[in-house]
Amino acid sequence: MADNTACAGRVERLRELMGERGYDAVILRNNPDLRWLTGAERTFDFEVAHTAMVTRDDLWLHTDSRYYNTFRERLGADCPWKIDQDVIAPARWAAERARCARARVVAVEDTCTLSFFDDFTAECAAVGIACLTPRLHGDICDLRSVKDAEEVELMRRAQEVTDAAFDHICGFIHAGLTEQEIRVELENYMLSHGADELSFGTIIAAGANGANPHAQPGPYVVQEGDLIVMDYGAGYHDYHSDMTRTVCVGEPSSEQRAVYDVVRRAHEACAAAVRAGVVGRDIHQVAVDVITEAGYGEYFGHGLGHGVGLEIHERPNFNRAWDRPVPAGSVVTIEPGIYLPGKFGIRLEDFGLVTEDGYEPFTCSTHDLVIVGK
């Protein structure tokens, strides 16, 4: 059942934004935004099948017969949303709601398709509404970047499954397995130990494949002495976890240990520097400085971290382009890496909460280099 109190707070934040911008109504079709506002758990999927309109006084939600009963079950009898499954085009439905609300400024989420936007403006003209239609350019993404207590708790639960999966897979891995076999075991463990879904396609990259940050697991057979980069996460009630650990099959070489130590120092220096108000690119630069000073600067090319929540990549970011302060309540990854082509890769990733005073990781798995396959 949806937490209507938490969702009421989210709706109020949106309405405050509407008041600041002078919007009479807002049209939303992006599923993560609808999940955030309605609280309907495990209801949304890959279909863009829903349209919502938020005004200063009403909450309307248009869906179809595939989802209507689920919404009713998830949201409960005291739900503030007026839900319908009328057989009507979403653009016409939105125009009718705008007419009922006497809306003159109707903001449209910029994730909507151009065809929906064109149909909406045409339907408004058909029902005699001459309204302004400004775009919501990432406004709700910014609202969602500050998590409430319910969201934080769901991500903690997701990470508990993810940490347990790491313990399990470390006892499973040995030389002779393929990357794909390791992936299957890891994913099956999460899905059978509390995960509702996978956060994203699991990365298992062994040996030289680890030098490709987003390598896809395949038929490569793990060898003694290989480092294995494992980037994965569990989903829980639509919220995600994200974690990377690099393990070694058998004893690591002196070079592998040395590079691992650099990545760990970069990670921990960044975590120590995070607190509310820091600028994302400044935290990214902390990692760059540590890795560059150690002589590996050219082998760290991606951003240091990203927001996590209902989507695996959200705002804010720790990267060279993010020049805005990071607010308290953000949940962000820290994931420096070094990738040596033809040899190996190493990445170490936690995710956690940005507070006024620091960074509170949800991830509990060790930062030590774990040796597997003994």
Side-chain angles (χ1 to χ4, degrees):
M1 188 71 69
D3 184 340
N4 287 331
T5 301
C7 293
R10 299 169 197 169
V11 170
E12 182 58 31
R13 289 171 62 192
L14 175 56
R15 283 177 167 156
E16 288 174 2
L17 176 69
M18 291 168 60
E20 293 169 4
R21 302 285 175 82
Y23 300 156
D24 298 312
V26 168
I27 295 173
L28 308 171
R29 303 204 75 208
N30 184 39
N31 285 340
D33 294 340
L34 296 178
R35 164 63 176 86
W36 184 70
L37 285 169
T38 64
E41 297 180 354
R42 303 183 67 190
T43 301
F44 301 93
D45 55 21
F46 57 90
E47 296 272 13
V48 183
H50 324 282
T51 305
M53 179 171 283
V54 178
T55 70
R56 295 172 186 178
D57 301 307
D58 289 302
L59 297 169
W60 282 298
L61 178 64
H62 175 58
T63 186
D64 63 41
S65 61
R66 295 172 296 173
Y67 306 92
Y68 180 79
N69 290 337
T70 306
F71 273 117
R72 285 298 184 192
E73 292 166 4
R74 297 285 193 267
L75 298 183
D78 59 347
C79 163
W81 290 84
K82 300 174 182 177
I83 308 172
D84 72 72
Q85 57 175 333
D86 297 340
V87 182
I88 183 174
R92 176 172 294 183
W93 176 90
E96 287 291 342
R97 298 291 81 72
R99 181 181 62 81
C100 292
R102 296 183 173 84
R104 292 293 177 263
V105 181
V106 181
V108 180
E109 199 168 35
D110 60 3
T111 56
C112 291
T113 63
L114 287 174
S115 60
F116 172 86
F117 182 81
D118 290 343
D119 289 346
F120 171 67
T121 54
E123 292 292 348
C124 284
V127 296
I129 295 178
C131 61
L132 298 174
T133 53
R135 313 297 197 279
L136 278 170
H137 288 301
D139 292 319
I140 298 183
C141 291
D142 284 339
L143 293 178
R144 281 173 41 205
S145 71
V146 177
K147 272 53 179 183
D148 57 38
E150 181 193 36
E151 294 177 288
V152 169
E153 178 58 25
L154 292 175
M155 282 185 278
R156 288 188 190 279
R157 295 286 297 275
Q159 184 56 39
E160 288 175 2
V161 177
T162 306
D163 280 321
F166 180 66
D167 289 341
H168 172 77
I169 205 66
C170 286
F172 173 80
I173 296 172
H174 57 81
L177 294 172
T178 67
E179 293 171 334
Q180 185 70 354
E181 287 171 331
I182 297 170
R183 173 190 187 176
V184 169
E185 182 70 18
L186 183 62
E187 293 182 344
N188 282 346
Y189 182 91
M190 288 189 287
L191 291 170
S192 60
H193 287 79
D196 300 324
E197 60 179 328
L198 305 174
S199 290
F200 51 90
T202 298
I203 296 171
I204 304 292
N209 293 335
N212 304 316
H214 273 208
Q216 298 299 304
Y220 175 79
V221 178
V222 172
Q223 308 294 314
E224 190 81 13
D226 278 348
L227 291 175
I228 306 176
V229 179
M230 300 185 292
D231 189 343
Y232 66 100
Y236 184 77
H237 290 222
D238 303 321
Y239 282 82
H240 298 289
S241 66
D242 191 0
M243 165 175 156
T244 306
R245 288 295 185 269
T246 303
V247 300
C248 191
V249 183
E251 288 297 322
S253 68
S254 58
E255 181 184 30
Q256 289 170 332
R257 283 193 180 277
V259 176
Y260 189 93
D261 182 63
V262 174
V263 173
R264 178 174 179 169
R265 286 193 288 110
H267 180 112
E268 293 175 356
C270 292
V274 173
R275 59 186 49 80
V278 297
V279 175
R281 67 184 178 192
D282 293 343
I283 300 300
H284 174 82
Q285 190 62 40
V286 171
V288 170
D289 290 344
V290 171
I291 292 171
T292 300
E293 183 178 352
Y296 296 99
E298 65 183 295
Y299 303 111
F300 173 46
H302 59 71
L304 175 71
H306 56 84
V308 181
L310 286 164
E311 296 178 280
I312 195 60
H313 285 152
E314 295 191 348
R315 298 178 179 183
N317 293 292
F318 293 147
N319 62 31
R320 61 181 57 84
W322 194 264
D323 60 358
R324 297 159 55 184
V326 175
S330 301
V331 172
V332 191
T333 69
I334 294 176
E335 49 182 303
I338 293 174
Y339 310 94
L340 303 180
K343 299 176 80 172
F344 58 81
I346 295 170
R347 183 161 65 254
L348 177 62
E349 176 187 19
D350 292 347
F351 86 123
L353 182 68
V354 178
T355 70
E356 293 291 348
D357 301 319
Y359 183 71
E360 181 184 328
F362 300 153
T363 316
C364 295
S365 296
T366 182
H367 284 186
D368 294 340
L369 177 57
V370 175
I371 299 171
V372 299
K374 295 179 183 178

